[in-house]
Amino acid sequence: MPINLQPLIQNELIKLIPLKESDFEMLYKVASDPLIWEQHPNKNRYQKEVFKTFFEGAIKSKGAFLVFNKKTEQLIGSSRYYDFDEENSSIAIGYTFLSRDHWGTTYNNALKTLMLNYAFEFVDKVIFHIGAENIRSQKAIAKLGAIKTDEIEMEYFGEEKKLNFIYEIEKSNWNLF
């Protein structure tokens, strides 16, 4: 069975809904907080015109989600699957952001765990591209057992190349929750 890059999946804290073009304004309300982007490669994504480019890339990826707090039904951010590589049995998870009221909670861990558990039904390796200055995300992904494997200059959709660190989690090292 081939992987569905936009499944309807949820756990006790998170519900993922496939992103649609009509979701722009709703998602931009969350993304318009400048502090969300202070460690990301493009610190101006809180600006509407810059966020439009980010959003367009999310739609074109055909793997992006709205992230909801399942308990409150509040939209809290976005994430996506991308770069599915059947030959190398890998996929990337990223472009994730959450509202600040969900920072320092269990929601990011619950989101990544949900996405990893689903991905490992289809692939043997999950890759994360994390901006070199994004210390918060680097620490969070390391807590899940991801290992830094490389550094690359990476171009995000419609943006300039930026230094990113590559982290990986192998299925054989992942304990399904």
Side-chain angles (χ1 to χ4, degrees), residues 48-63:
K48 197 167 199 172
E49 287 304 312
V50 177
F51 187 74
K52 280 182 183 175
T53 300
F54 175 85
F55 188 84
E56 182 183 347
I59 292 295
K60 286 186 176 186
S61 77
K62 297 185 181 351

Side-chain angles (χ1 to χ4, degrees), residues 6 13-14 19 35 46 52 77 105 107 109 123 158 164 176:
Q6 286 184 307
L13 295 177
I14 297 290
L19 184 71
L35 293 179
Y46 68 92
K52 280 182 183 175
T105 68
Y107 282 85
N109 185 295
V123 298
N164 276 253
L176 296 179

Side-chain angles (χ1 to χ4, degrees), residues 110-152:
L111 169 61
K112 294 297 190 321
T113 298
L114 178 64
M115 293 182 78
L116 284 160
N117 284 344
Y118 177 78
F120 284 135
E121 293 178 27
F122 302 92
V123 298
D124 294 326
K125 179 171 45 176
V126 174
I127 300 164
F128 300 86
H129 301 101
I130 300 177
E133 297 177 18
N134 195 340
I135 305 304
R136 188 171 38 247
S137 291
Q138 292 169 31
K139 286 180 179 179
I141 205 66
K143 286 180 185 177
L144 287 171
I147 306 295
K148 182 181 171 189
T149 60
D150 205 353
E151 298 181 11
I152 62 166

Side-chain angles (χ1 to χ4, degrees), residues 1-163:
M1 179 168 81
I3 188 169
N4 173 0
L5 295 180
Q6 286 184 307
L8 294 169
I9 53 176
Q10 58 187 325
N11 58 25
E12 65 283 347
L13 295 177
I14 297 290
K15 180 168 58 173
L16 297 182
I17 304 294
L19 184 71
K20 304 179 307 290
E21 288 191 39
S22 59
D23 295 328
F24 178 82
E25 289 297 332
M26 182 171 57
L27 187 57
Y28 180 67
K29 284 181 185 174
V30 177
S32 63
D33 178 351
L35 293 179
I36 288 176
W37 306 104
E38 70 180 349
Q39 291 186 21
H40 281 255
N42 188 338
K43 297 169 185 0
N44 295 323
R45 282 195 191 135
Y46 68 92
Q47 298 170 355
K48 197 167 199 172
E49 287 304 312
V50 177
F51 187 74
K52 280 182 183 175
T53 300
F54 175 85
F55 188 84
E56 182 183 347
I59 292 295
K60 286 186 176 186
S61 77
K62 297 185 181 351
F65 299 94
L66 295 174
V67 178
F68 286 89
N69 176 324
K70 187 174 175 185
K71 293 179 180 180
T72 65
E73 295 295 320
Q74 173 190 2
L75 175 61
I76 62 172
S78 182
S79 192
R80 70 179 93 156
Y81 291 115
Y82 63 100
D83 288 352
F84 172 62
D85 183 340
E86 188 171 11
E87 186 176 315
N88 291 310
S89 190
S90 68
I91 197 166
I93 294 174
Y95 295 91
T96 305
F97 69 91
L98 295 178
S99 60
R100 283 192 297 136
D101 61 343
H102 284 76
W103 290 4
T105 68
T106 58
Y107 282 85
N108 186 51
N109 185 295
L111 169 61
K112 294 297 190 321
T113 298
L114 178 64
M115 293 182 78
L116 284 160
N117 284 344
Y118 177 78
F120 284 135
E121 293 178 27
F122 302 92
V123 298
D124 294 326
K125 179 171 45 176
V126 174
I127 300 164
F128 300 86
H129 301 101
I130 300 177
E133 297 177 18
N134 195 340
I135 305 304
R136 188 171 38 247
S137 291
Q138 292 169 31
K139 286 180 179 179
I141 205 66
K143 286 180 185 177
L144 287 171
I147 306 295
K148 182 181 171 189
T149 60
D150 205 353
E151 298 181 11
I152 62 166
E153 289 282 326
M154 184 175 157
E155 186 175 332
Y156 292 99
F157 180 85
E159 299 178 4
E160 295 179 16
K161 285 186 178 183
K162 302 278 184 168
L163 180 62

